[in-house]
Amino acid sequence: MGSGADGKAVTFGPLLKMHRCAAGLNQEELAQRSGLSVRAISDMERGYTTRPFVRSVRMLADAMMLPGLAREQLLTAAQADAGSARVPRGRARPANLPGPTAEIARQLPAMTHHFTGRVREMTALGALLGQQAPSLGGPVISVISGAAGVGKTALAVQLAHQAKPGFPDGQLYVNLRGFGPDGRPAAPAEVIRLFLDAFRLPAAQIPVGLEAQAALYRDLTADRRLLVLLDNAHDEEQVRPLLPSGPASAVIVTSRSELGGLVATSGARLTPLDVLAEDEAWEMLATRLGRTRLIAEPAAVSELIRCCARLPLALAITVARSAARPDFPLSALAAELRNTAARLDGLETGDPAASVRTTLSWSYQQLSPGAARMFRLAGLHPGPAVTAAAAASLAGTGLSRSRRHLRELARCNLLAEYAPDRYAFHDLVRFYAAEQARAADRATGQRAALARVLDHYLHTAYAAALVINPSREPITLSPPRPGVSPERMARPRQALDWFEAEHRVLHAASVLAAETGFDAHAWQLSWAMTDYLDHGGHWQEQVTLHRAALAAARRVGSEAEQAAVRRMLAYTYARLGHFDEARDQLTQCVQLCRKLGDRTGEALARQTLGWLAEQQQQYSDALSHAEQALGLFREAGHRAGQAAVLNNAGFYHSMLGNYQQARAHGQQALALYHELGDHSHQAATLDSLGYAEHQLGCLSAAIDCYQEALGIVQELGERFPEAEILSHLGDTRLAAGQPREAEDAWRQALKILADLDHPDTARMRAKLRQIDA
């Protein structure tokens, strides 16, 4: 805490507000200058954010151009202020989201089985990674370049695992998709956000602006010993923003390009990777097929190595075919490969026999009919990975048959099962699979398969979205096509885990749907992803998806769908602090709903307008919108909407100091939620009511509210909400002169927060120290 003129301590929030006002800035102007969101600044000033990043405080100080003493006072207050009041749970983070679980990322993929060869490269690169970068320079950077299928990734992963003891602060990995079937390299902004997520930062601590996120990444990597593996890079411009800032870190980059710009400007060391040497290729075959088999047929082995052009990918596929048929003479296998005429255009090495397509076609032709069909259709999948369940819908088969076909493909090294029931293509193999689909399957059959897999993702995501947020206004989907078997989730944690695993696939599916004329799928997938993306703070991604969804809804020609998408887009704009754009979208949404006579849609838009006003601390306007929404919900007979708006209005009354009205609205909301059987929102409303009762001085009533809310969340198994309510209960117990009971509540909360590895653990310990004092 800082110190005021009268010698009394000044907490961080009021001090920040005082400096902002002295600088003549409103919160929107300070947000624009600093790169933080308006909501983040508002939460800091009101004391809801008790542990701001030092980097964020410095950005604020810079934006306000504070002189040295004032700047130091603000930083000191931020570091000391760990025990300020909390907002009621009904206005805090979503109830079903877990807290952060770790601070050290361990993202390296598994090493390749039976890795052989590359001794010279491993020795040289290992020595390079062990070097200390110049004190004023950046990290050690190694670029491994080479042709497709030459084994760049396998070498990089092997090297990273060997070197990781020297980088105790974590290892980051990403496939940059620089050379992939969809031609869309990963954007640096997307990767930076993935890396920030890997550090397990709470979404509230991640700034919304792309430049601010990049600055946070540089700040986090400045003093750490990190190993960063950037796989399959497209060019230098994609790599540069992802380099850690500190000299103690190291970076391994793989690419089909040489990335000479990194060598020239960042001091990167280039390691060109060629095909295996003859003896290394022989050793690779011997390790997997056995030396006895190779020694018995030396001429056939030599021909196999020549036909595979000593390319590791081709050799691996050949090994799988040979290992699966141990009774086949190697000479027969060599003859099959020699007689295959097909070639993968553009992927030749100059030797007519050096063709990955030859090897792939040889393996493909040996597949069972069902596995061959699955292989072709998997080439149409949006990527980057497919589960057995999604593949079953893609092919229109049952799950057991899908698993059987996928495992056959994995045995032949045409797919890799990198997690249970999750499969991924090498990019060359995906090219080949799609090529075979175009050659063997009619266009109508390909489109039917694409429709089935989009149905699978849409219906699964829709059901999961309603499990996470059962009070959300549903939309109407067309029934899934025959052969589609959507996945089902019973609990919010299960649904969140599914979204986490399928996040990138769903994004790719939404984009593919828009590109291929499945416009309803495009906007509805965007709808289904909204809560998950919002909870994770992926608002830039949401804007991209919602804009594409709005274009799709326009093509469909449905004004009702356009209204729904505009409301989602407005919410996301507001999250990013783009309040004018948000208000414009909501105005158009209201106009569309009035034109359609959609009272519920208009009420939802008014409810969102209230929330928008809340973000700008315009609580009177927020209350006005909430009251209009309440009237519309009542006209429509929409009881869940009425309950939600009553609870919101109660919060706005609390912020305006109208605690009697806050209590009345909360009680009405509670009664409706009780009738609806919505237990989770009952607990949130009871928590808000407890806050209002406390402010009214009715401490006994507040304790009753908190205890009832506590029973509900304990029954539902919602651990973080339980900790929050226990914290609020302890506050009220202490105010009621019951320090022992307060301490008991806070100790229970501390145990939960410690189990969750949540940052509020420090705040709770600070409260307990106050009790001890």
Side-chain angles (χ1 to χ4, degrees), residues 319-480:
V319 163
R321 172 77 172 98
S322 303
R325 292 159 176 80
D327 296 329
F328 276 37
L330 294 178
S331 57
L333 300 176
E336 280 189 70
L337 181 57
R338 181 195 323 131
N339 294 332
T340 301
R343 295 292 184 267
L344 270 177
D345 299 334
L347 295 175
E348 303 295 343
T349 64
D351 181 351
S355 169
V356 174
R357 180 185 280 147
T358 301
T359 306
L360 290 173
S361 65
W362 173 55
S363 189
Y364 167 69
Q365 290 164 9
Q366 305 305 314
L367 294 172
S368 66
R373 178 173 177 267
M374 178 67 81
F375 176 73
R376 296 194 303 272
L377 295 180
L380 306 176
H381 184 272
V386 62
T387 62
S393 294
L394 174 71
T397 64
L399 183 59
S400 61
R401 185 177 298 179
S402 167
R403 285 196 174 112
R404 186 166 66 250
H405 292 157
L406 290 170
R407 286 169 183 166
E408 181 179 347
L409 295 174
R411 285 195 301 271
C412 296
N413 279 351
L414 290 171
L415 282 179
E417 187 178 13
Y418 68 91
D421 266 358
R422 296 189 69 83
Y423 297 82
F425 270 124
H426 185 284
D427 53 2
L428 302 182
V429 182
R430 185 188 295 276
F431 276 129
Y432 180 77
E435 183 180 85
Q436 294 306 302
R438 290 191 294 271
D441 300 311
R442 293 182 177 181
T444 53
Q446 295 177 54
R447 188 164 181 81
L450 182 56
R452 285 194 299 270
V453 76
L454 290 175
D455 272 359
H456 176 91
Y457 286 121
L458 173 59
H459 283 269
T460 305
Y462 178 78
L466 292 181
V467 169
I468 292 172
N469 184 0
S471 296
R472 192 173 176 192
E473 182 67 18
I475 57 175
T476 302
L477 307 184
S478 297

Side-chain angles (χ1 to χ4, degrees), residues 682-717:
Q682 282 182 52
T685 305
L686 283 163
D687 192 29
S688 296
L689 271 172
Y691 178 79
E693 295 288 4
H694 186 141
Q695 299 304 316
L696 287 167
C698 302
L699 301 183
S700 178
I703 290 170
D704 290 343
C705 289
Y706 289 137
Q707 288 182 327
E708 186 176 352
L710 196 59
I712 294 172
V713 295
Q714 287 173 340
E715 184 178 349
L716 294 175

Side-chain angles (χ1 to χ4, degrees), residues 160-289:
H161 276 281
Q162 176 181 287
K164 71 180 180 181
F167 300 92
D169 295 328
Q171 301 89 42
L172 300 175
Y173 170 84
V174 66
N175 178 2
L176 293 174
R177 308 194 305 275
F179 298 88
D182 60 3
R184 296 190 188 91
E190 171 192 354
V191 178
I192 286 172
R193 180 54 204 260
L194 290 173
F195 281 175
L196 293 179
D197 287 344
F199 285 108
R200 298 294 185 182
L201 299 176
Q205 295 182 0
I206 297 178
V208 296
L210 298 181
E211 291 185 5
Q213 289 185 2
L216 175 57
Y217 173 65
R218 292 192 297 270
D219 189 39
L220 288 171
T221 58
D223 300 314
R224 284 177 165 87
R225 289 187 61 83
L226 292 169
L227 180 61
V228 181
L229 176 46
L230 304 175
D231 193 20
N232 193 13
H234 184 264
D235 56 26
E236 296 89 335
E237 297 305 313
Q238 187 187 30
V239 170
R240 284 194 182 98
L242 309 179
L243 299 176
S245 61
S249 294
V251 182
I252 305 171
V253 186
T254 72
S255 179
R256 297 185 195 176
S257 300
E258 289 187 350
L259 305 184
L262 284 181
V263 177
T265 63
S266 302
R269 185 76 61 86
L270 177 62
T271 302
L273 202 61
D274 202 351
V275 296
L276 294 171
E278 187 82 15
D279 59 337
E280 289 178 325
W282 195 95
E283 189 66 30
M284 178 178 175
L285 293 177
T287 301
R288 304 187 188 191
L289 296 177

